[in-house]
PDB file of all heavy atoms in Angstrom:
ATOM      1  N   ALA A   1     116.342  83.503  89.315  1.00 86.00           N
ATOM      2  CA  ALA A   1     115.793  82.181  89.665  1.00 86.00           C
ATOM      3  C   ALA A   1     114.827  82.346  90.907  1.00 86.00           C
ATOM      4  O   ALA A   1     114.938  83.212  91.707  1.00 86.00           O
ATOM      5  CB  ALA A   1     116.861  81.258  90.066  1.00 86.00           C
ATOM      6  N   MET A   2     113.858  81.400  91.016  1.00 81.00           N
ATOM      7  CA  MET A   2     113.064  81.137  92.140  1.00 81.00           C
ATOM      8  C   MET A   2     112.047  82.331  92.449  1.00 81.00           C
ATOM      9  O   MET A   2     111.432  82.359  93.514  1.00 81.00           O
ATOM     10  CB  MET A   2     113.887  80.910  93.391  1.00 81.00           C
ATOM     11  CG  MET A   2     114.837  79.696  93.174  1.00 81.00           C
ATOM     12  SD  MET A   2     115.894  79.291  94.621  1.00 81.00           S
ATOM     13  CE  MET A   2     114.698  78.495  95.670  1.00 81.00           C
ATOM     14  N   THR A   3     111.839  83.228  91.502  1.00 80.00           N
ATOM     15  CA  THR A   3     110.882  84.282  91.776  1.00 80.00           C
ATOM     16  C   THR A   3     109.394  83.818  91.827  1.00 80.00           C
ATOM     17  O   THR A   3     108.566  84.446  92.373  1.00 80.00           O
ATOM     18  CB  THR A   3     110.956  85.378  90.705  1.00 80.00           C
ATOM     19  OG1 THR A   3     110.808  84.849  89.449  1.00 80.00           O
ATOM     20  CG2 THR A   3     112.290  86.164  90.759  1.00 80.00           C
ATOM     21  N   GLN A   4     109.227  82.585  91.334  1.00 78.00           N
ATOM     22  CA  GLN A   4     107.931  81.939  91.431  1.00 78.00           C
ATOM     23  C   GLN A   4     107.457  81.745  92.870  1.00 78.00           C
ATOM     24  O   GLN A   4     106.282  81.547  93.143  1.00 78.00           O
ATOM     25  CB  GLN A   4     107.829  80.640  90.645  1.00 78.00           C
ATOM     26  CG  GLN A   4     108.599  79.455  91.236  1.00 78.00           C
ATOM     27  CD  GLN A   4     110.022  79.517  90.799  1.00 78.00           C
ATOM     28  OE1 GLN A   4     110.580  80.447  90.324  1.00 78.00           O
ATOM     29  NE2 GLN A   4     110.685  78.388  91.181  1.00 78.00           N
ATOM     30  N   LEU A   5     108.436  81.722  93.794  1.00 81.00           N
ATOM     31  CA  LEU A   5     108.073  81.508  95.155  1.00 81.00           C
ATOM     32  C   LEU A   5     107.432  82.814  95.735  1.00 81.00           C
ATOM     33  O   LEU A   5     106.748  82.705  96.803  1.00 81.00           O
ATOM     34  CB  LEU A   5     109.359  81.245  96.034  1.00 81.00           C
ATOM     35  CG  LEU A   5     110.141  79.951  95.671  1.00 81.00           C
ATOM     36  CD1 LEU A   5     111.298  79.828  96.486  1.00 81.00           C
ATOM     37  CD2 LEU A   5     109.220  78.749  95.854  1.00 81.00           C
ATOM     38  N   GLY A   6     107.549  83.930  95.115  1.00 81.00           N
ATOM     39  CA  GLY A   6     107.059  85.180  95.614  1.00 81.00           C
ATOM     40  C   GLY A   6     105.494  85.244  95.618  1.00 81.00           C
ATOM     41  O   GLY A   6     104.915  85.725  96.565  1.00 81.00           O
ATOM     42  N   ALA A   7     104.928  84.651  94.591  1.00 85.00           N
ATOM     43  CA  ALA A   7     103.438  84.783  94.490  1.00 85.00           C
ATOM     44  C   ALA A   7     102.713  84.078  95.625  1.00 85.00           C
ATOM     45  O   ALA A   7     101.801  84.658  96.261  1.00 85.00           O
ATOM     46  CB  ALA A   7     102.983  84.115  93.138  1.00 85.00           C
ATOM     47  N   PRO A   8     103.033  82.781  96.038  1.00 87.00           N
ATOM     48  CA  PRO A   8     102.388  82.269  97.101  1.00 87.00           C
ATOM     49  C   PRO A   8     102.617  82.909  98.458  1.00 87.00           C
ATOM     50  O   PRO A   8     101.747  82.991  99.362  1.00 87.00           O
ATOM     51  CB  PRO A   8     102.772  80.738  97.132  1.00 87.00           C
ATOM     52  CG  PRO A   8     104.068  80.700  96.305  1.00 87.00           C
ATOM     53  CD  PRO A   8     103.872  81.859  95.327  1.00 87.00           C
ATOM     54  N   MET A   9     103.849  83.403  98.618  1.00 89.00           N
ATOM     55  CA  MET A   9     104.177  84.110  99.847  1.00 89.00           C
ATOM     56  C   MET A   9     103.407  85.422  99.924  1.00 89.00           C
ATOM     57  O   MET A   9     102.861  85.736 101.006  1.00 89.00           O
ATOM     58  CB  MET A   9     105.697  84.394  99.840  1.00 89.00           C
ATOM     59  CG  MET A   9     106.557  83.163  99.978  1.00 89.00           C
ATOM     60  SD  MET A   9     108.284  83.490  99.703  1.00 89.00           S
ATOM     61  CE  MET A   9     108.732  84.428 101.136  1.00 89.00           C
ATOM     62  N   LEU A  10     103.266  86.093  98.791  1.00 88.00           N
ATOM     63  CA  LEU A  10     102.480  87.387  98.800  1.00 88.00           C
ATOM     64  C   LEU A  10     100.930  87.032  98.988  1.00 88.00           C
ATOM     65  O   LEU A  10     100.278  87.811  99.721  1.00 88.00           O
ATOM     66  CB  LEU A  10     102.669  88.102  97.433  1.00 88.00           C
ATOM     67  CG  LEU A  10     103.944  88.878  97.359  1.00 88.00           C
ATOM     68  CD1 LEU A  10     104.137  89.354  95.873  1.00 88.00           C
ATOM     69  CD2 LEU A  10     103.856  90.079  98.242  1.00 88.00           C
ATOM     70  N   GLN A  11     100.489  85.983  98.402  1.00 91.00           N
ATOM     71  CA  GLN A  11      99.104  85.577  98.620  1.00 91.00           C
ATOM     72  C   GLN A  11      98.817  85.338 100.092  1.00 91.00           C
ATOM     73  O   GLN A  11      97.788  85.824 100.645  1.00 91.00           O
ATOM     74  CB  GLN A  11      98.783  84.377  97.833  1.00 91.00           C
ATOM     75  CG  GLN A  11      97.381  83.735  98.002  1.00 91.00           C
ATOM     76  CD  GLN A  11      96.277  84.641  97.470  1.00 91.00           C
ATOM     77  OE1 GLN A  11      96.590  85.482  96.649  1.00 91.00           O
ATOM     78  NE2 GLN A  11      95.082  84.418  97.942  1.00 91.00           N
ATOM     79  N   LEU A  12      99.733  84.644 100.725  1.00 92.00           N
ATOM     80  CA  LEU A  12      99.535  84.449 102.165  1.00 92.00           C
ATOM     81  C   LEU A  12      99.556  85.704 103.035  1.00 92.00           C
ATOM     82  O   LEU A  12      98.697  85.969 103.867  1.00 92.00           O
ATOM     83  CB  LEU A  12     100.634  83.435 102.673  1.00 92.00           C
ATOM     84  CG  LEU A  12     100.691  83.143 104.168  1.00 92.00           C
ATOM     85  CD1 LEU A  12      99.404  82.400 104.609  1.00 92.00           C
ATOM     86  CD2 LEU A  12     101.939  82.308 104.481  1.00 92.00           C
ATOM     87  N   LEU A  13     100.577  86.563 102.695  1.00 93.00           N
ATOM     88  CA  LEU A  13     100.737  87.756 103.554  1.00 93.00           C
ATOM     89  C   LEU A  13      99.632  88.793 103.320  1.00 93.00           C
ATOM     90  O   LEU A  13      99.223  89.482 104.214  1.00 93.00           O
ATOM     91  CB  LEU A  13     102.092  88.380 103.260  1.00 93.00           C
ATOM     92  CG  LEU A  13     103.303  87.691 103.789  1.00 93.00           C
ATOM     93  CD1 LEU A  13     104.580  88.200 103.234  1.00 93.00           C
ATOM     94  CD2 LEU A  13     103.305  87.769 105.353  1.00 93.00           C
ATOM     95  N   THR A  14      99.231  88.885 102.056  1.00 91.00           N
ATOM     96  CA  THR A  14      98.268  89.968 101.759  1.00 91.00           C
ATOM     97  C   THR A  14      96.800  89.603 102.128  1.00 91.00           C
ATOM     98  O   THR A  14      95.931  90.384 102.002  1.00 91.00           O
ATOM     99  CB  THR A  14      98.279  90.322 100.268  1.00 91.00           C
ATOM    100  OG1 THR A  14      98.109  89.147  99.452  1.00 91.00           O
ATOM    101  CG2 THR A  14      99.616  90.991  99.869  1.00 91.00           C
ATOM    102  N   THR A  15      96.606  88.360 102.474  1.00 92.00           N
ATOM    103  CA  THR A  15      95.288  87.908 102.925  1.00 92.00           C
ATOM    104  C   THR A  15      95.166  87.688 104.434  1.00 92.00           C
ATOM    105  O   THR A  15      94.129  87.253 104.978  1.00 92.00           O
ATOM    106  CB  THR A  15      94.845  86.642 102.177  1.00 92.00           C
ATOM    107  OG1 THR A  15      95.841  85.604 102.484  1.00 92.00           O
ATOM    108  CG2 THR A  15      94.731  86.835 100.700  1.00 92.00           C
ATOM    109  N   LEU A  16      96.187  88.091 105.181  1.00 94.00           N
ATOM    110  CA  LEU A  16      96.128  87.977 106.634  1.00 94.00           C
ATOM    111  C   LEU A  16      95.117  88.961 107.173  1.00 94.00           C
ATOM    112  O   LEU A  16      95.114  90.162 106.745  1.00 94.00           O
ATOM    113  CB  LEU A  16      97.491  88.310 107.252  1.00 94.00           C
ATOM    114  CG  LEU A  16      98.657  87.260 107.098  1.00 94.00           C
ATOM    115  CD1 LEU A  16      99.905  87.766 107.646  1.00 94.00           C
ATOM    116  CD2 LEU A  16      98.247  85.955 107.710  1.00 94.00           C
ATOM    117  N   PRO A  17      94.335  88.581 108.116  1.00 95.00           N
ATOM    118  CA  PRO A  17      93.447  89.566 108.817  1.00 95.00           C
ATOM    119  C   PRO A  17      94.225  90.513 109.635  1.00 95.00           C
ATOM    120  O   PRO A  17      95.418  90.263 110.065  1.00 95.00           O
ATOM    121  CB  PRO A  17      92.490  88.630 109.679  1.00 95.00           C
ATOM    122  CG  PRO A  17      93.288  87.341 109.851  1.00 95.00           C
ATOM    123  CD  PRO A  17      94.133  87.198 108.640  1.00 95.00           C
ATOM    124  N   PRO A  18      93.616  91.698 110.026  1.00 94.00           N
ATOM    125  CA  PRO A  18      94.368  92.698 110.803  1.00 94.00           C
ATOM    126  C   PRO A  18      94.997  92.178 112.066  1.00 94.00           C
ATOM    127  O   PRO A  18      96.069  92.607 112.384  1.00 94.00           O
ATOM    128  CB  PRO A  18      93.304  93.724 111.134  1.00 94.00           C
ATOM    129  CG  PRO A  18      92.332  93.572 109.931  1.00 94.00           C
ATOM    130  CD  PRO A  18      92.259  92.119 109.616  1.00 94.00           C
ATOM    131  N   ALA A  19      94.380  91.332 112.773  1.00 95.00           N
ATOM    132  CA  ALA A  19      94.912  90.777 113.985  1.00 95.00           C
ATOM    133  C   ALA A  19      96.180  89.958 113.825  1.00 95.00           C
ATOM    134  O   ALA A  19      97.144  90.073 114.559  1.00 95.00           O
ATOM    135  CB  ALA A  19      93.836  89.912 114.767  1.00 95.00           C
ATOM    136  N   ASP A  20      96.155  89.252 112.691  1.00 95.00           N
ATOM    137  CA  ASP A  20      97.357  88.418 112.363  1.00 95.00           C
ATOM    138  C   ASP A  20      98.487  89.370 111.846  1.00 95.00           C
ATOM    139  O   ASP A  20      99.656  89.007 112.109  1.00 95.00           O
ATOM    140  CB  ASP A  20      97.036  87.419 111.253  1.00 95.00           C
ATOM    141  CG  ASP A  20      96.222  86.277 111.839  1.00 95.00           C
ATOM    142  OD1 ASP A  20      96.090  86.155 113.100  1.00 95.00           O
ATOM    143  OD2 ASP A  20      95.682  85.511 111.006  1.00 95.00           O
ATOM    144  N   ILE A  21      98.129  90.397 111.189  1.00 94.00           N
ATOM    145  CA  ILE A  21      99.160  91.426 110.743  1.00 94.00           C
ATOM    146  C   ILE A  21      99.817  92.055 111.952  1.00 94.00           C
ATOM    147  O   ILE A  21     101.051  92.157 112.059  1.00 94.00           O
ATOM    148  CB  ILE A  21      98.589  92.443 109.831  1.00 94.00           C
ATOM    149  CG1 ILE A  21      98.183  91.831 108.523  1.00 94.00           C
ATOM    150  CG2 ILE A  21      99.616  93.530 109.562  1.00 94.00           C
ATOM    151  CD1 ILE A  21      97.477  92.787 107.568  1.00 94.00           C
ATOM    152  N   ALA A  22      98.964  92.397 112.994  1.00 95.00           N
ATOM    153  CA  ALA A  22      99.513  92.987 114.187  1.00 95.00           C
ATOM    154  C   ALA A  22     100.476  92.037 114.949  1.00 95.00           C
ATOM    155  O   ALA A  22     101.569  92.410 115.405  1.00 95.00           O
ATOM    156  CB  ALA A  22      98.437  93.451 115.077  1.00 95.00           C
ATOM    157  N   ASP A  23     100.088  90.729 114.946  1.00 95.00           N
ATOM    158  CA  ASP A  23     100.867  89.707 115.552  1.00 95.00           C
ATOM    159  C   ASP A  23     102.209  89.513 114.805  1.00 95.00           C
ATOM    160  O   ASP A  23     103.202  89.342 115.396  1.00 95.00           O
ATOM    161  CB  ASP A  23     100.123  88.385 115.624  1.00 95.00           C
ATOM    162  CG  ASP A  23     100.838  87.308 116.395  1.00 95.00           C
ATOM    163  OD1 ASP A  23     101.246  87.512 117.529  1.00 95.00           O
ATOM    164  OD2 ASP A  23     101.118  86.213 115.746  1.00 95.00           O
ATOM    165  N   TYR A  24     102.098  89.532 113.442  1.00 93.00           N
ATOM    166  CA  TYR A  24     103.302  89.406 112.575  1.00 93.00           C
ATOM    167  C   TYR A  24     104.295  90.562 112.898  1.00 93.00           C
ATOM    168  O   TYR A  24     105.479  90.273 112.963  1.00 93.00           O
ATOM    169  CB  TYR A  24     102.856  89.434 111.113  1.00 93.00           C
ATOM    170  CG  TYR A  24     104.028  89.298 110.174  1.00 93.00           C
ATOM    171  CD1 TYR A  24     104.259  88.038 109.549  1.00 93.00           C
ATOM    172  CD2 TYR A  24     104.830  90.313 109.755  1.00 93.00           C
ATOM    173  CE1 TYR A  24     105.340  87.801 108.723  1.00 93.00           C
ATOM    174  CE2 TYR A  24     105.898  90.210 108.858  1.00 93.00           C
ATOM    175  CZ  TYR A  24     106.111  88.942 108.364  1.00 93.00           C
ATOM    176  OH  TYR A  24     107.132  88.773 107.471  1.00 93.00           O
ATOM    177  N   ASN A  25     103.774  91.742 113.047  1.00 93.00           N
ATOM    178  CA  ASN A  25     104.641  92.870 113.327  1.00 93.00           C
ATOM    179  C   ASN A  25     105.294  92.752 114.689  1.00 93.00           C
ATOM    180  O   ASN A  25     106.477  93.227 114.811  1.00 93.00           O
ATOM    181  CB  ASN A  25     103.777  94.188 113.212  1.00 93.00           C
ATOM    182  CG  ASN A  25     103.391  94.502 111.822  1.00 93.00           C
ATOM    183  OD1 ASN A  25     103.966  94.013 110.837  1.00 93.00           O
ATOM    184  ND2 ASN A  25     102.364  95.308 111.624  1.00 93.00           N
ATOM    185  N   LEU A  26     104.604  92.218 115.659  1.00 94.00           N
ATOM    186  CA  LEU A  26     105.262  92.011 116.966  1.00 94.00           C
ATOM    187  C   LEU A  26     106.354  90.983 116.846  1.00 94.00           C
ATOM    188  O   LEU A  26     107.378  91.196 117.510  1.00 94.00           O
ATOM    189  CB  LEU A  26     104.226  91.534 117.996  1.00 94.00           C
ATOM    190  CG  LEU A  26     103.216  92.608 118.451  1.00 94.00           C
ATOM    191  CD1 LEU A  26     102.124  91.954 119.331  1.00 94.00           C
ATOM    192  CD2 LEU A  26     103.838  93.692 119.253  1.00 94.00           C
ATOM    193  N   LYS A  27     106.192  90.020 116.037  1.00 93.00           N
ATOM    194  CA  LYS A  27     107.207  88.949 115.963  1.00 93.00           C
ATOM    195  C   LYS A  27     108.319  89.330 114.984  1.00 93.00           C
ATOM    196  O   LYS A  27     109.379  88.697 115.008  1.00 93.00           O
ATOM    197  CB  LYS A  27     106.558  87.609 115.464  1.00 93.00           C
ATOM    198  CG  LYS A  27     105.581  87.048 116.417  1.00 93.00           C
ATOM    199  CD  LYS A  27     104.898  85.762 115.823  1.00 93.00           C
ATOM    200  CE  LYS A  27     103.969  85.173 116.835  1.00 93.00           C
ATOM    201  NZ  LYS A  27     103.286  83.950 116.232  1.00 93.00           N
ATOM    202  N   HIS A  28     108.113  90.308 114.097  1.00 92.00           N
ATOM    203  CA  HIS A  28     109.134  90.718 113.151  1.00 92.00           C
ATOM    204  C   HIS A  28     109.396  92.209 113.164  1.00 92.00           C
ATOM    205  O   HIS A  28     109.005  92.926 112.193  1.00 92.00           O
ATOM    206  CB  HIS A  28     108.774  90.255 111.718  1.00 92.00           C
ATOM    207  CG  HIS A  28     108.474  88.795 111.593  1.00 92.00           C
ATOM    208  ND1 HIS A  28     107.264  88.249 111.847  1.00 92.00           N
ATOM    209  CD2 HIS A  28     109.303  87.746 111.215  1.00 92.00           C
ATOM    210  CE1 HIS A  28     107.328  86.953 111.633  1.00 92.00           C
ATOM    211  NE2 HIS A  28     108.518  86.656 111.251  1.00 92.00           N
TER     212      HIS A  28
END
């Protein structure tokens, strides 16, 4: 169940610019 939630989450994460990825890594 609920694997359809993966696509929008992946779309958001894989389109982050490098600066936002670096910030994400600091927070997680």
